[in-house]
């Protein structure tokens, strides 16, 4: 019997955009006009939930506001470092034609690198690796793990890491005080 060929399966095109309506902080909210009907604290907005895995988890209510704020801050630090981090300098090499000398690291990059180093110490090697791939680089959990069990494990590592960072950065209390210190994403980007 001759070998049977498997039928070709064509992959269907999938849009990278999936827009959903979510409730977010009003960027134009003013405390001076608190209580006015035209000045709500929260508003409805349309966002692309496939923009990153973190946004998808937040839209599906699988992470809370403190975890989202921690992921947003981690992503801002990661992007401030230039993605995968700054390369080393080689002052002995002469610049190649068309290529200028390398720019020195800015103060912002140095602070971001120090904070990311502290994050690595808090989270540990494996959780930091997962955090940098999902929150920093924007990988989906399904891209990193194929089986259901592996995806669940990665999601648990991610959520636990976000809890640790949220507590460390003051977005969420550790259960010791009565009031929660939950911050908004706008507050997070102002701090960096």
């Amino acid at each position: 019997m001759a070998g049977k060929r498997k039928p070709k399966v064509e992959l269907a095109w999938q849009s990278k955009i999936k827009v959903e309506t979510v409730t977010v902080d009003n960027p134009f909210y003013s405390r001076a006009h608190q209580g006015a009907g035209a000045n709500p604290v929260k508003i409805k907005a349309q966002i692309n939930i496939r923009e990153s895995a973190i946004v998808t988890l937040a839209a599906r209510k699988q992470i809370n506001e403190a975890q989202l704020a921690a992921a947003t801050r981690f992503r801002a630090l990661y992007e401030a470092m230039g993605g995968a981090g700054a390369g080393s300098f080689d002052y002995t090499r002469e610049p190649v034609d068309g290529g200028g000398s390398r720019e020195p690291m800015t103060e912002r990059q140095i602070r971001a690198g120090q904070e990311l180093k502290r994050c690595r110490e808090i989270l540990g090697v494996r959780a930091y690796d997962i955090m940098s791939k999902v929150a920093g680089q924007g990988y989906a959990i399904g891209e990193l793990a194929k089986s259901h069990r592996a995806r669940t494990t990665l999601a648990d590592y991610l959520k636990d890491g976000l809890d640790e960072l949220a507590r460390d950065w003051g977005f969420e209390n550790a259960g010791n005080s009565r009031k929660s210190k939950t911050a908004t994403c706008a507050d997070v980007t102002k701090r960096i």
Side-chain angles (χ1 to χ4, degrees), residues 17-37:
I17 297 174
K18 184 175 181 184
V19 178
E20 285 193 14
T21 304
V22 295
T23 303
V24 297
D25 295 328
N26 183 0
F28 301 111
Y29 174 74
S30 172
R31 289 186 185 191
H33 302 289
Q34 192 170 4

Side-chain angles (χ1 to χ4, degrees), residues 36-77:
N39 186 35
V41 177
K42 302 272 187 183
I43 59 171
K44 293 195 182 275
Q46 301 231 343
I47 63 166
N48 178 11
I49 65 166
R50 290 190 180 157
E51 189 262 332
S52 74
I54 298 298
V55 174
T56 303
L57 290 171
R60 292 178 180 167
K61 306 281 189 222
Q62 293 179 354
I63 60 174
N64 60 29
E65 287 185 26
Q67 290 170 325
L68 177 61
T72 304
R73 182 170 179 180
F74 185 89
R75 181 178 182 179
L77 290 169

Side-chain angles (χ1 to χ4, degrees), residues 73-89 102-117 128 132 136 192:
R73 182 170 179 180
F74 185 89
R75 181 178 182 179
L77 290 169
Y78 197 84
E79 289 175 354
M81 278 296 297
S88 62
F89 296 101
R102 192 178 160 110
E103 294 291 321
M105 289 180 68
T106 64
E107 183 67 29
R108 182 174 182 225
Q109 286 177 316
I110 293 170
R111 282 195 313 261
Q114 290 169 341
E115 188 66 21
L116 286 174
K117 181 182 177 199
Y128 180 83
S132 64
I192 299 171

Side-chain angles (χ1 to χ4, degrees), residues 62-155:
Q62 293 179 354
I63 60 174
N64 60 29
E65 287 185 26
Q67 290 170 325
L68 177 61
T72 304
R73 182 170 179 180
F74 185 89
R75 181 178 182 179
L77 290 169
Y78 197 84
E79 289 175 354
M81 278 296 297
S88 62
F89 296 101
D90 185 4
Y91 295 106
T92 61
R93 283 183 50 192
E94 291 186 33
V96 187
D97 290 346
S101 62
R102 192 178 160 110
E103 294 291 321
M105 289 180 68
T106 64
E107 183 67 29
R108 182 174 182 225
Q109 286 177 316
I110 293 170
R111 282 195 313 261
Q114 290 169 341
E115 188 66 21
L116 286 174
K117 181 182 177 199
R118 204 167 72 75
C119 290
R120 187 180 185 122
E121 292 168 357
I122 292 169
L123 298 174
V125 176
R126 178 161 183 180
Y128 180 83
D129 183 50
I130 294 167
M131 185 74 65
S132 64
K133 285 181 181 169
V134 176
Q137 297 175 22
Y139 280 95
I141 293 173
E143 293 175 316
L144 301 174
K146 298 301 176 193
S147 71
H148 178 71
R149 181 176 180 178
R151 286 191 301 269
T152 304
T153 303
L154 284 180

